């Protein structure tokens, strides 16, 4: 679950990377003004096993990177 707050309607670009920098998942989501909650189940992504990943979100001319630990 990702909570995001946006000042205006826009498109967010969300990418999941492994620690070698390979893109495993990418989605563009329409974000409405105000608070938005995005829910993703990593278990449904084919090439994601238990491990540590990087989640990168581009929104409002910002780039937010978070470390994600996934346990299957």
């Amino acid at each position: 679950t990702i909570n995001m707050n946006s000042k205006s309607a826009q498109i967010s670009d969300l990418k999941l990377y492994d620690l070698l920098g390979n893109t495993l998942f990418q989605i563009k989501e329409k974000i409405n003004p105000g608070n938005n909650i995005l829910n993703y189940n990593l278990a449904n992504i084919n090439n994601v096993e238990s491990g540590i990943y990087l989640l990168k979100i581009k929104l409002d001319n910002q780039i937010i990177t978070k470390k994600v630990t996934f346990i299957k």
Side-chain angles (χ1 to χ4, degrees):
T1 301
I2 302 164
N3 293 317
M4 297 180 2
N5 196 350
S6 177
K7 297 176 186 170
S8 61
Q10 59 187 297
I11 302 295
S12 71
D13 184 20
L14 184 143
K15 293 181 182 179
L16 183 71
Y17 297 94
D18 63 17
L19 293 179
L20 297 175
N22 300 310
T23 303
L24 303 176
F25 175 75
Q26 178 177 4
I27 190 165
K28 294 186 185 250
E29 284 276 332
K30 181 180 177 187
I31 302 296
N32 296 315
N35 192 38
N36 294 271
I37 299 173
L38 305 176
N39 291 307
Y40 295 103
N41 186 349
L42 295 180
N44 293 334
I45 302 171
N46 291 336
N47 51 347
V48 175
E49 298 295 329
S50 295
I52 298 173
Y53 298 91
L54 298 175
L55 181 66
K56 183 168 129 180
I57 304 167
K58 290 183 183 179
L59 178 68
D60 278 340
N61 296 323
Q62 297 179 54
I63 297 175
I64 302 164
T65 304
K66 299 282 185 178
K67 181 174 78 170
V68 176
T69 303
F70 176 65
I71 301 170
K72 237 181 191 178

